[in-house]
């Protein structure tokens, strides 16, 4: 049986964790801080649990420099759960803005307000999605599925990168080709939000920077673009301007911790821009399920129902480890390290184009999920590549089942030594398997 230090794991998620965090977790799983209880046994209503939430929020706030304008939520359901939560919560925000406008224009005539907002909903609501890979595609499909009973297609796929790449997710077209929903003539946006997936885990495509067209600051606040970002697979790997986002979410099982906890960072003013559930129902919209309702989760300090406190504690330990490692540099230090590791891997792959074919175009290559084919996708060579890698305890290199090929996941817990072992293998395999 190999020692943990001998294995280099590059799986896409669940992903590797720092060994020191796992050792602390093993102790906490049996006897947390000499309480005689496992951390999984301690009540989520206890002072201990509350302190864990507070400490984890503080660490995340420091790492991402989260402004006071935003709230941190811990939720269930993973990123896929937030595909639904985003739609239901953000459409509710859109509806409440129009309800308030209607009330200001026509007074408190409830029936007229309902009729006006219902008409605006059916005539002008749009949800903008930037589809650059498998996960953003799934998010857009979930939105369409949730809103389909209203009888119209409210999802605007403002960008589908396959259209310019022969059906493949391997690029992000120029911003001037995106078909974002324009502002209403009288101000305000018909779009409830613009969604993008910052890093596509399956396809290896990553936005190199925040889109320029989404950071414009209009004179009229009601014209602002509410940006929602799924950062599940590159969370805490680089600096992020949280203030440019209405919502950021991500599952923990990539760079943050273990499965069964989802982090959501949401602008506080959105939490108070919500209509009564009865109003949503009167115009034909579902209200968010209780455990997916951001305002309810926030009001209850993420403890409306039983949260996985152990998983939140693990996430906090990972975050505090990053702070200890990079000190005042915080995520700038981790970003530099992530870029260095990715560069070393891509340099080897680029050195042998006859053996390795990188899937995404160079400008949008992911630093986290490096996707490539071996000898043009030849099944025998790819099988040999994986078998030889496994023999050297280089594990988790098989691509997602939907696309095949190879995928090297370069998450934060993958250290430089393991990257060097991998690049040495890539060099050897390439020299031994040239056409």
């Amino acid at each position: 049986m190999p020692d943990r230090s001998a294995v280099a794991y590059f799986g896409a998620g669940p992903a590797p964790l720092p060994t020191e965090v796992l050792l602390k977790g093993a102790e906490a799983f049996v006897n947390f801080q000499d309480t005689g209880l496992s951390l999984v046994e301690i009540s989520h209503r206890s002072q201990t649990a509350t302190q864990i939430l507070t400490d984890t929020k503080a660490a995340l706030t420091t790492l991402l420099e989260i402004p006071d304008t935003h709230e941190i939520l811990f939720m269930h359901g993973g990123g896929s759960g937030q595909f639904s939560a985003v739609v239901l919560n953000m459409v509710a925000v859109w509806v409440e803005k129009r309800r308030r406008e209607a009330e200001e224009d026509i007074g408190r005539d409830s029936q007229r307000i309902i009729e006006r907002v219902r008409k605006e909903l059916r005539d002008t609501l749009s949800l903008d999605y930037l589809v650059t890979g498998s996960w953003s595609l799934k998010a857009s499909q979930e939105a369409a599925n949730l809103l389909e009973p209203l009888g119209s297609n409210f999802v605007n796929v403002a960008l589908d990168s396959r259209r310019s790449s022969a059906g493949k997710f391997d690029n992000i077209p120029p911003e001037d080709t995106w078909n974002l929903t324009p502002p209403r003539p009288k101000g305000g946006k018909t779009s409830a939000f613009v969604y993008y997936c910052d890093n596509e885990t399956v396809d290896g495509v990553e936005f190199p920077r925040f889109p320029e067209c989404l950071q414009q600051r209009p004179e009229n606040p009601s014209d602002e673009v509410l940006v929602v970002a799924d950062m599940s697979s590159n969370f805490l790997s680089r600096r992020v301007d949280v203030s440019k986002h209405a919502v950021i979410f991500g599952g923990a099982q990539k760079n943050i911790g273990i499965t069964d906890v989802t982090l959501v960072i949401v602008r506080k003013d959105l939490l108070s821009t919500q209509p009564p559930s009865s109003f949503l129902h009167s115009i034909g919209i579902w209200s968010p399920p209780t455990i997916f309702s951001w305002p309810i989760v926030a009001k209850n300090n993420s403890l409306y129902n039983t949260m996985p406190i152990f998983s939140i504690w693990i996430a906090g330990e990972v975050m505090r480890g990053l702070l200890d490692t990079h000190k005042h540099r915080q995520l700038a230090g981790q970003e530099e390290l992530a870029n260095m590791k990715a560069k070393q891997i891509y340099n080897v792959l680029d050195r042998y184009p006859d053996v390795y074919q990188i899937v995404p175009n160079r400008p949008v290559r992911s630093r986290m999920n490096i996707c490539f084919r071996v000898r043009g996708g030849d099944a025998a060579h790819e099988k040999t590549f994986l078998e030889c890698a496994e023999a050297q305890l280089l594990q988790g290199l098989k691509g997602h089942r939907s696309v095949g090929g190879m995928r090297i996941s370069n998450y934060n817990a993958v250290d430089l030594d393991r990257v060097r072992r991998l690049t040495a293998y890539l060099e050897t395999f390439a020299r031994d398997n040239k056409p």
Side-chain angles (χ1 to χ4, degrees):
M1 180 181 296
D3 183 80
R4 178 175 174 81
S5 62
V7 175
Y9 183 61
F10 301 92
L17 285 166
T19 298
E20 57 270 23
V21 172
L22 289 175
L23 291 172
K24 289 182 181 179
E27 183 177 340
F29 199 85
V30 177
N31 185 356
F32 181 66
Q33 295 183 350
D34 295 324
T35 59
L37 290 173
S38 167
L39 189 49
V40 301
E41 297 171 321
I42 290 174
S43 170
H44 65 296
R45 305 289 185 196
S46 66
Q47 184 177 350
T48 298
T50 300
Q51 190 61 52
I52 287 171
L53 287 171
T54 300
D55 293 345
T56 305
K57 284 184 179 181
L60 183 59
T61 298
T62 301
L63 280 168
L64 281 177
E65 300 182 29
I66 299 173
D68 290 339
T69 52
H70 287 65
E71 182 64 76
I72 299 170
L73 310 177
F74 300 104
M75 298 183 67
H76 297 282
S80 295
Q82 288 305 309
F83 293 168
S84 302
V86 163
V87 173
L88 297 175
N89 283 277
M90 294 298 286
V91 168
V93 169
W94 186 96
V95 167
E96 176 60 6
K97 289 180 177 179
R98 277 137 191 86
R99 189 194 70 80
R100 292 178 184 180
E101 289 176 1
E103 187 175 87
E104 184 177 338
D105 290 346
I106 61 181
R108 295 184 177 275
D109 186 328
S110 59
Q111 190 55 42
R112 287 180 64 196
I113 292 173
I114 289 171
E115 291 172 358
R116 171 170 153 170
V117 176
R118 183 189 291 135
K119 185 176 188 306
E120 287 188 338
L121 173 74
R122 294 184 180 278
D123 292 347
T124 67
L125 173 65
S126 179
L127 316 182
D128 287 353
Y129 280 80
L130 306 179
V131 176
T132 56
S134 301
W135 289 112
S136 50
L137 177 62
K138 287 179 183 292
S140 69
Q141 292 170 337
E142 178 69 358
N145 182 57
L146 287 171
L147 296 177
E148 191 275 335
L150 293 177
S152 180
N153 181 15
F154 296 101
V155 174
N156 172 43
V157 177
L159 158 67
D160 185 337
S161 62
R162 295 174 297 181
R163 294 171 185 163
S164 60
S165 292
K168 298 178 181 179
F169 286 126
D170 61 9
N171 80 110
I172 300 176
E175 293 183 25
D176 60 8
T177 66
W178 302 358
N179 185 33
L180 295 167
T181 302
R184 290 185 300 173
K186 294 183 179 180
K189 292 289 291 184
T190 53
S191 178
F193 59 85
V194 179
Y195 163 97
Y196 75 103
C197 181
D198 202 31
N199 182 73
E200 290 282 0
T201 321
V202 172
D203 307 282
V205 171
E206 184 175 30
F207 279 83
R209 65 192 64 84
F210 187 81
E212 182 70 29
C213 65
L214 300 184
Q215 56 187 343
Q216 300 171 3
R217 290 287 183 261
E219 292 183 11
N220 187 341
S222 61
D223 282 340
E224 71 170 329
V225 177
L226 295 176
V227 179
V228 176
D230 177 354
M231 295 189 178
S232 292
S233 55
N234 63 355
F235 221 123
L236 302 186
S237 70
R238 65 181 178 185
R239 290 162 291 180
V240 174
D241 189 342
V242 175
S243 68
K244 293 178 179 178
H245 297 81
V247 182
I248 295 172
F249 69 85
Q253 67 274 13
K254 312 289 188 182
N255 270 330
I256 309 170
I258 58 179
T259 57
D260 77 359
V261 64
T262 310
L263 283 77
V264 181
I265 304 170
V266 58
R267 227 170 61 187
K268 290 178 180 176
D269 65 307
L270 302 182
L271 300 175
S272 58
T273 311
Q274 298 279 333
S277 295
S278 57
F279 186 84
L280 289 171
H281 301 162
S282 71
I283 63 171
I285 292 285
W286 292 278
S287 54
T290 302
I291 62 168
F292 279 168
S293 169
W294 296 335
I296 291 176
V297 174
K299 182 180 178 181
N300 289 273
N301 190 31
S302 298
L303 294 173
Y304 179 85
N305 63 334
T306 307
M307 284 302 296
I309 298 301
F310 179 77
S311 300
I312 295 172
W313 178 82
I314 288 285
E317 287 295 307
V318 170
M319 294 173 195
R320 285 184 286 276
L322 288 173
L323 289 170
D324 289 343
T325 299
H326 300 295
K327 303 296 190 292
H328 67 279
R329 298 197 67 209
Q330 299 171 33
L331 284 189
Q334 187 58 43
E335 181 175 2
E336 182 179 292
L337 179 58
N339 293 347
M340 181 193 309
K341 293 187 298 173
K343 183 178 180 180
Q344 289 183 13
I345 296 169
Y346 278 121
N347 281 348
V348 177
L349 296 176
D350 282 330
R351 198 174 297 138
Y352 300 98
D354 291 340
V355 179
Y356 305 123
Q357 293 79 45
I358 299 170
V359 175
N361 293 346
R362 187 180 293 270
V364 298
R365 289 177 177 178
S366 170
R367 301 162 306 121
M368 293 290 102
N369 306 105
I370 298 166
C371 298
F372 62 99
R373 305 307 299 249
V374 177
R375 293 287 297 272
D378 177 76
H381 280 93
E382 293 197 331
K383 182 181 178 182
T384 300
F385 177 89
L386 290 171
E387 289 175 346
C388 293
E390 288 278 348
Q392 296 189 30
L393 300 181
L394 302 170
Q395 300 178 359
L397 295 171
K398 189 175 183 179
H400 192 272
R401 63 186 182 279
S402 64
V403 295
M406 306 297 128
R407 175 172 56 179
I408 300 165
S409 292
N410 176 39
Y411 294 133
N412 288 352
V414 176
D415 58 29
L416 270 171
D417 178 65
R418 286 174 169 81
V419 168
R420 292 184 183 117
R421 286 170 54 191
L422 174 63
T423 55
Y425 168 69
L426 291 172
E427 290 267 10
T428 300
F429 185 88
R431 287 195 298 266
D432 293 345
N433 289 273
K434 286 184 177 180

